[in-house]
Amino acid sequence: MPFIRLSKNQRRKVAVFFTCLAIAVFAWLFFALSNQYEYTIKTKVDYINLPQNKAFHPLQSDTVTLKIEGTGWKLLFSRINLIPETIKVNLKSLSRRNFVTFSEQLSDINKRFHSTHRVISVMPDTLYFDFSSRSVKKVPVKLLYKINFKPGFGISDSIEVLPNYITVTGPIEDIEDIKAWGTDTIQVDGVNNTVNARVAMKSPSNNVTIYPSMVEVKVPVSEFTEKSFDLPVSIINNEKNIDVKLLPSKVRVTFLISLNDFANIVRDDFVAVIDLHDWSEKQYKQLPVIIKKCPAFCKIVRVEPQMVDFIIEQ
């Protein structure tokens, strides 16, 4: 293909042409996007002003379609979170009827939108609800946490949650299977002191309420150190009272304990046993040592030996 050489004057004309074309396209886009357009988006509903003496079940999906009027610019940028993820629906009217209509709430809905957007309609316009009596029950609080400790530190006592029970209110069928209610997850790194925090409860569904919505949490944290005891080994499940000689008859247990409890832990806080069923039923040649009793928040590091020999004396 032959190479076309343009004179300086011709190149200037070509540059002017493309510049004018770009300006014309930009101007067309500008005026086109400045016009008003209607478009639809889907969003979820968030119920407010729930009736206090009734439990309800929405009879339709919690997602509705909004018809919105706005400029082309807003249509272009509506995909970058100018539109809220949820719209609030006021349920105050459920005190006298079993439905709410969006047409009655368009003014309030539009107040929460960007000033250049206007919600024209919502589909469906009417939301229907089924009512039932509200039930109340108390359930324990389940603390969720991810705590990373500094080396040598750990939880040294029972975690305190105040209150440790919350009240759950809602339809019987919605709350009857609720056995506990979780908190938001506490996430802390490099911990070497007791953690005190105020934690929010997990958000309930639209037709369930909880009280309180926050709890006080105390996670006792202390430094840990090693301690050891020599323990006699007892025999369990010896129904036939067989004479058994253990070799050795004692084991050394090494464990981690908090410095606060170091002086309070004594040998009698531990019990080491072997299970004779491991010989009579499983035909073990050596019997594993089991630590049957151990103080709370005490972590076994090692048991020496872990297996013992035995002699059945006839």
Side-chain angles (χ1 to χ4, degrees):
M1 181 177 179
F3 183 75
I4 301 176
R5 291 182 175 275
L6 300 177
S7 66
K8 183 176 181 181
N9 186 47
Q10 289 173 324
R11 290 196 300 270
R12 185 171 60 252
K13 289 181 179 180
V14 171
V16 169
F17 170 77
F18 282 108
T19 300
C20 293
L21 180 62
I23 293 173
V25 170
F26 178 80
W28 176 81
L29 282 174
F30 179 82
F31 287 111
L33 293 176
S34 297
N35 293 329
Q36 294 288 326
Y37 295 92
E38 293 181 1
Y39 53 99
T40 60
I41 62 167
K42 290 185 179 295
T43 188
K44 290 190 174 183
V45 297
D46 182 20
Y47 300 124
I48 60 173
N49 294 328
L50 280 63
Q52 296 301 309
N53 59 345
K54 295 181 179 180
F56 63 90
H57 291 282
L59 298 179
Q60 55 278 308
S61 169
D62 63 352
T63 301
V64 296
T65 301
L66 306 181
K67 180 180 283 189
I68 296 177
E69 183 182 69
T71 64
W73 294 106
K74 297 306 175 184
L75 173 60
L76 181 64
F77 292 111
S78 64
R79 307 308 175 191
I80 54 174
N81 297 329
L82 288 179
I83 303 299
E85 295 181 358
T86 62
I87 60 170
K88 296 188 181 298
V89 180
N90 193 331
L91 300 185
K92 186 177 180 180
S93 63
L94 291 184
S95 60
R96 62 182 187 276
R97 62 192 188 189
N98 67 342
F99 65 90
V100 295
T101 59
F102 283 105
S103 55
E104 295 176 345
Q105 301 187 30
L106 280 182
S107 176
D108 291 334
I109 292 173
N110 277 309
K111 289 178 182 178
R112 299 184 179 94
F113 273 68
H114 194 277
S115 59
T116 53
H117 285 95
R118 187 171 70 89
V119 179
I120 301 173
S121 63
V122 182
M123 296 176 287
D125 181 65
T126 305
L127 300 181
Y128 293 94
F129 298 85
D130 180 34
F131 293 101
S132 61
S133 299
R134 292 180 78 84
S135 180
V136 179
K137 69 184 295 187
K138 282 192 172 184
V139 297
V141 175
K142 182 180 180 181
L143 177 64
L144 304 178
Y145 60 90
K146 292 181 180 178
I147 300 178
N148 295 318
F149 300 95
K150 285 188 175 180
F153 290 83
I155 297 176
S156 58
D157 207 342
S158 299
I159 296 175
E160 297 179 18
V161 180
L162 295 175
N164 55 3
Y165 278 79
I166 65 166
T167 300
V168 181
T169 306
I172 294 176
E173 56 271 28
D174 284 349
I175 70 173
E176 62 181 352
D177 293 330
I178 298 175
K179 307 303 181 185
W181 200 280
T183 66
D184 287 344
T185 302
I186 299 177
Q187 295 187 350
V188 195
D189 292 321
V191 174
N192 62 352
N193 285 302
T194 295
V195 177
N196 292 283
R198 184 171 172 81
V199 187
M201 304 301 298
K202 292 288 187 183
S203 298
S205 61
N206 277 324
N207 51 345
V208 173
T209 59
I210 62 170
Y211 181 84
S213 59
M214 305 280 290
V215 294
E216 301 286 344
V217 174
K218 179 181 179 181
V219 183
V221 176
S222 179
E223 188 173 2
F224 281 67
T225 189
E226 282 193 2
K227 191 173 184 176
S228 298
F229 286 128
D230 289 330
L231 304 178
V233 181
S234 303
I235 300 173
I236 62 173
N237 292 322
N238 187 8
E239 294 91 350
K240 297 181 180 180
N241 294 318
I242 300 172
D243 289 331
V244 181
K245 184 178 180 180
L246 301 178
L247 300 171
S249 60
K250 289 185 177 183
V251 295
R252 172 166 284 260
V253 58
T254 302
F255 54 92
L256 289 174
I257 190 68
S258 73
L259 293 178
N260 296 336
D261 296 326
F262 187 88
N264 300 324
I265 297 296
V266 295
R267 183 179 287 104
D268 290 342
D269 292 325
F270 297 83
V271 172
V273 302
I274 58 96
D275 188 346
L276 206 58
H277 281 174
D278 289 337
W279 166 71
S280 61
E281 297 180 4
K282 301 178 183 178
Q283 304 300 309
Y284 283 7
K285 302 301 182 183
Q286 288 183 307
L287 300 177
V289 177
I290 304 167
I291 303 301
K292 195 74 172 178
K293 177 184 174 185
C294 177
F297 306 102
C298 178
K299 182 179 180 181
I300 302 296
V301 176
R302 58 187 175 272
V303 178
E304 300 172 306
Q306 295 180 339
M307 309 285 288
V308 297
D309 293 315
F310 62 97
I311 298 175
I312 304 297
E313 297 181 344
Q314 302 298 329

